[in-house]
Amino acid sequence: MKLNIAVLPGDGVGTEVTAEAVKVLKAIAVEFNHIFTFKKGLIGAAAISKTGEALPKETLELCKSTDATLFGAIAASGHDLDLNAKTLPIQGLLDLRKSLDLYASIRPVIAYDSLLNKSPLKRDHIVGTDISIFRELTGGIYFGESELSTDGNSAFDTCKYSREEIERIAHLAFKAAQTRKRKLTLIDKANILESSKLWRKIVKELAPKYADVSVQYMFIDNAAKELILNPKQFDVILTENMFGDIISDEASVIGGSVGLLASASIGNKYAMFEPLHGAYNKAKNKGIANPIASILSAALLLDHFGLFEEAALIREAVEKSLSLHITTPDLNTKYDNISTIKVGDFIEDFINNPEETNLNFTNIHLGQSTII
Ligand code: IPM
Ligand code: MN
């Protein structure tokens, strides 16, 4: 298959982690005879310093003219945390999601067996957790009317949803549930918010069309608690934009590191793949950022194009790296010198040589190649 992929490394550790994801995709291309072409674009603080804009026109054009976008990370606020700055880097990502109409952010949360002891949660509570969060991504309070009064003493943000916005992601979530454990949980605040009442009404209307899926409804405050107390009860979670943002970060605790969580941001026409973590500026150029979320985002990209065998090989390589402690310091229990690049190298090696990679594993922490 021929795929043109836009690569937007963005800010902070984005450059380092996307470099590893690209490396892994290149290995997949060689191994499976695909032609993947990568074209880089600017976004975020990096784009503001060069062009004055967080999402330059050329970047948007690039994403529209390629088959998919691999996104790195974006600085949470202005270059020096100046929330009053005219153009915030983060706006680049929000504009991109909106312009490409990427309305569904699919965020898998998995408790890997080899990392169960890295989670602050009790092993028995989390073992076997496998959740797919469907977060609405282009509506709600993130994009509603908002204003700061002229005297600067009052402000509002609006959470608005239309039937169409809710239905299109709800259908995706129901269909995903049908291929999984056939359970869907809508998370809302329907005891208070009108917009949540609409979500609940529409999901209730759709439910009979997916009679094989059992649907439960949960208020966000209770869900925040249940996610920690009993994450295994969840299969597919469907929720609006901001609730989804919050609970997906909360869910990252289950797996032991936010550095593991990947996402696919999907629309009807375009698709983008991005790690959940932010720019983590403090770690920039230190070689300590975990590339796994970005690499697993690349696996989601392959899934998106039906390249399931390829995606599965990436996941196998990732699991192998985790079980052998070939991981960055956020997870590492055994070795203290495994860098971002080394994790990528290991996964690349595994893909090139899935049968032979058992060779020499014991020496990788000494900087020796995994393959003789
Ligand atoms: C995420 C991030 C983004 C969000 C930021 C960087 C705009 O936190 O993808 O979860 O809030 O959606
Ligand atoms: Mn977030």
Side-chain angles (χ1 to χ4, degrees), residues 107 135 142 245-246 248-249 276:
R107 307 183 156 195
R135 166 192 174 190
Y142 271 59
D245 178 45
I246 297 168
S248 53
D249 259 42
L276 236 74

Side-chain angles (χ1 to χ4, degrees), residues 99-163:
S99 312
L100 299 179
D101 201 18
L102 306 173
Y103 59 83
S105 173
I106 303 161
R107 307 183 156 195
V109 178
I110 292 164
Y112 293 98
D113 283 345
S114 51
L115 294 178
L116 291 176
N117 62 342
K118 293 302 295 174
S119 172
L121 304 179
K122 287 198 187 105
R123 189 186 170 94
D124 290 350
H125 285 194
I126 58 175
V127 64
T129 298
D130 179 356
I131 306 173
S132 189
I133 300 176
F134 278 65
R135 166 192 174 190
E136 202 290 330
L137 203 60
T138 50
I141 204 161
Y142 271 59
F143 293 96
E145 197 195 331
S146 68
E147 200 177 284
L148 175 67
S149 66
T150 33
D151 67 2
N153 290 325
S154 68
F156 68 84
D157 299 279
T158 323
C159 181
K160 205 170 168 185
Y161 271 107
S162 68
R163 166 175 287 276

Side-chain angles (χ1 to χ4, degrees), residues 74 90 93-94 97 107 135 142 245 274 276:
I74 205 138
I90 219 167
L93 177 59
L94 297 179
R97 287 173 178 171
R107 307 183 156 195
R135 166 192 174 190
Y142 271 59
D245 178 45
E274 42 176 323
L276 236 74

Side-chain angles (χ1 to χ4, degrees), residues 18 42 105 121 167 214 222 321 343 368-369:
T18 45
L42 285 171
S105 173
L121 304 179
E167 278 182 353
S214 77
N222 184 33
S321 76
V343 174
Q368 295 175 6
S369 166

Side-chain angles (χ1 to χ4, degrees), residues 41-54:
L42 285 171
I43 193 163
I48 296 174
S49 19
K50 290 214 175 101
T51 69
E53 284 175 305

Side-chain angles (χ1 to χ4, degrees), residues 223-268:
K225 172 169 63 75
E226 289 296 319
L227 196 60
I228 297 298
L229 285 180
N230 180 13
K232 272 181 284 186
Q233 71 182 287
F234 297 104
D235 178 24
V236 170
I237 287 178
L238 169 64
T239 193
E240 65 90 51
N241 203 343
M242 191 157 80
F243 295 159
D245 178 45
I246 297 168
I247 58 149
S248 53
D249 259 42
E250 185 192 2
S252 74
V253 174
I254 299 167
S257 170
V258 72
L260 297 171
L261 289 201
S263 77
S265 307
I266 306 283
N268 292 338

